[in-house]
Amino acid sequence: MDSIEILTALGTPAGRNDPYPYYAALHELGEAVRPSPGMVLVVGYDAINSVLRDPGFRAADDATWDQALPGWQEQPVFVQGADWLLNINGARHARIRSLIARAFTARRVAGLEPAIAAMADDLLNAMADHGADGSAVEFMHDFAFLLPVTVICELLGIPDGDRESFRPIARDLAGIFEINDPENMPAINAAAVELLAYFTGLAAKRRAEPRDDLVSDLLVVSATGDGRLTDAELLHNLTLLLVAGFETTTNLLGNGLQVVLTQPAVGDAVRDGSVPVAAFVEEALRYDSPVQLTSRVGYETKVGGVAVASGDDVMTVLGAGNRDPRRFAHPDTFDPLRADGGPLSFGGGAHFCIGAALARLEACIAFPRLLQRFPRIAAAGEPVRRDTLLLRGFDALPVTVR
Ligand code: HEM
């Protein structure tokens, strides 16, 4: 197969369902390939790392959209997205990122631990009730989706009573991370408008009466110091934190559980402590990354032996880099005790995931509880993969828990 055939196959439902054989075929062609003019696919671990750490490669930003997406200003999701950390570069990115990082501290993340454990236990209790008679429980719906979205709400300080109505809107907005059918855009834009209105109201409340939450801290940080955040930058990045933070973590929980369901010995090893849960989580991130790819705008250079031209769409396929046989021994084997760990799943360089510690914490709290609580957890029917390429996960993962 040449690179165009492989890319075409990756875009089919079968390719999205299991991209790994196609990634393996790409690795045989080299660290990077140029399937068509204007596009470079980077699949080698080292090459991906070098692109993500090289400031010459820029995230697509509003200037890129002026060329590629005329009329983007008419769409609320792009107006907000133009301020998102993911879509800005250079000094502006550094300013906003450092302000957000000052509020989103390791202390704040670690402080969530007891709340995450309590939420996980509540969800496991409900799963135990639903499945007490041996009937199937839907893990994605009943656990993997609810835990991260509730944790993000807790982090941001969204009151309990508002959380239920939040979940479907947040899910709609997260649709922007996929390669979209134009017919999905009205729902995505409506969600963007609704979330912005919500955060505008929440920020006004916290400004009047600060609490111990991220929104209150960000308001303080944004009003002091040299850099400052504009109100729009602050509010827009709150919507980003919400959408970047839950579907990805949902997929880490689902993809990790699927390993346990298909390889029960792995679950037993986590239960008896012979595999530390952190090692299990790192290997789950590598083996089936919740984020499969990200991209950058190219400049005149070479990557993995392939020439890149200015303005090229450079796709760094994190999910492929995680299975690079040049980097990992037996890349298709799930081996939590491997000595050569180090997944690319949270990206690298200036845009490295700001929520990586939170996602890891959630998974490290959730898996031991889940596995101890349900020692006989087993698949109850065929899992249903989401038909998506960028975010990889399941729509349904039915299990029995008795
Ligand atoms: C397993 C879960 C997660 C995965 C796999 C993941 C993956 C990623 C990746 C690959 C990037 C870099 C994108 C790029 O370079 O273009 C990123 C950035 C980001 N992530 Fe995560 N993420 C996860 C969880 C979270 C959580 C829990 C939050 C927030 C609470 C979060 C917030 C962000 C933000 C704000 C950025 C943008 C950072 C920047 O551009 O400076 N993520 N994430």
Side-chain angles (χ1 to χ4, degrees):
M1 271 181 154
D2 66 22
S3 60
I4 303 174
E5 288 166 331
I6 299 172
L7 187 65
T8 309
L10 273 170
T12 63
R16 286 192 290 264
N17 186 50
D18 183 8
Y20 295 110
Y22 302 103
Y23 294 163
L26 285 169
H27 284 306
E28 283 181 18
L29 299 180
E31 285 221 67
V33 294
R34 176 181 267 290
S36 59
M39 181 196 279
V40 177
L41 272 186
V42 189
V43 294
Y45 184 97
D46 291 340
I48 292 172
N49 242 330
S50 72
V51 169
L52 295 179
R53 283 159 206 276
D54 176 350
F57 287 98
R58 296 169 66 79
D61 57 16
D62 50 0
T64 324
W65 300 344
D66 285 341
Q67 310 285 320
L69 266 176
W72 64 266
Q73 291 93 337
E74 313 296 314
Q75 301 206 51
V77 69
F78 288 110
V79 173
Q80 293 180 36
D83 284 334
W84 286 357
L85 283 178
L86 279 175
N87 304 328
I88 54 180
N89 292 289
R92 183 161 184 248
H93 176 263
R95 170 177 59 86
I96 300 182
R97 172 125 182 167
S98 81
L99 287 167
I100 293 180
R102 267 164 53 196
F104 196 173
T105 56
R107 186 192 60 81
R108 177 161 297 288
V109 171
L112 288 169
E113 185 163 351
I116 298 173
M119 289 175 218
D121 288 342
D122 282 351
L123 295 172
L124 293 174
N125 287 340
M127 277 176 72
D129 285 350
H130 291 164
D133 60 357
S135 56
V137 180
E138 216 297 282
F139 178 75
M140 295 312 292
H141 178 268
D142 287 0
F143 191 91
F145 175 63
L146 291 179
L147 183 69
V149 75
T150 317
V151 170
I152 287 281
C153 287
E154 179 77 21
L155 172 80
L156 295 176
I158 293 164
D160 268 357
D162 294 351
R163 292 180 186 178
E164 192 70 41
S165 57
F166 233 72
R167 293 172 187 144
I169 315 170
R171 183 157 217 177
D172 280 348
L173 185 55
I176 193 61
F177 294 130
E178 279 306 322
I179 298 152
N180 266 300
D181 218 311
E183 72 185 34
N184 297 337
M185 291 311 294
I188 294 175
N189 280 310
V193 170
E194 204 166 334
L195 282 174
L196 183 61
Y198 181 83
F199 281 126
T200 306
L202 186 68
K205 281 191 202 141
R206 295 293 179 269
R207 202 171 262 132
E209 236 179 279
R211 293 203 191 158
D212 182 18
D213 60 34
L214 187 70
V215 173
S216 305
D217 282 4
L218 275 172
L219 286 165
V220 172
V221 163
S222 67
T224 52
D226 300 333
R228 313 251 168 140
L229 283 175
T230 66
D231 282 353
E233 286 168 347
L234 170 81
L235 294 170
H236 294 166
N237 278 289
L238 287 178
T239 63
L240 170 64
L241 284 175
L242 182 74
V243 294
F246 85 89
E247 190 136 350
T248 44
T249 314
T250 295
N251 291 345
L252 171 58
L253 297 173
N255 297 354
L257 182 64
Q258 174 66 356
V259 172
V260 170
L261 297 175
T262 50
Q263 304 181 46
V266 172
D268 291 339
V270 175
R271 278 185 196 98
D272 70 20
S274 52
V275 164
V277 64
F280 167 78
V281 169
E282 286 312 282
E283 182 66 346
L285 282 161
R286 184 196 72 83
Y287 186 74
D288 205 11
S289 179
V291 177
Q292 288 284 307
L293 65 92
T294 182
S295 57
R296 293 290 185 268
V297 181
Y299 72 107
E300 204 91 6
T301 185
K302 257 189 162 188
V303 168
V306 169
V308 179
S310 170
D312 275 355
D313 189 4
V314 179
M315 295 200 211
T316 45
V317 191
L318 309 172
N322 284 345
R323 301 272 191 123
D324 182 350
R326 299 172 194 85
R327 171 66 173 74
F328 296 103
H330 310 293
D332 298 329
T333 303
F334 188 93
D335 175 8
L337 297 179
R338 60 171 61 248
D340 55 4
L344 292 168
S345 312
F346 292 117
H351 292 273
F352 181 80
C353 178
I354 211 166
L358 178 59
R360 286 180 164 127
L361 180 68
E362 283 181 56
C364 285
I365 292 173
F367 277 112
R369 287 182 138 71
L370 172 75
L371 295 174
Q372 296 300 348
R373 180 73 189 262
F374 304 129
R376 284 193 296 277
I377 191 166
E382 278 300 302
V384 181
R385 275 252 170 232
R386 298 201 64 194
D387 187 22
T388 47
L389 187 59
L390 200 152
L391 298 181
R392 179 164 171 80
F394 291 95
D395 261 332
L397 208 49
V399 292
T400 49
V401 294
R402 239 182 25 145

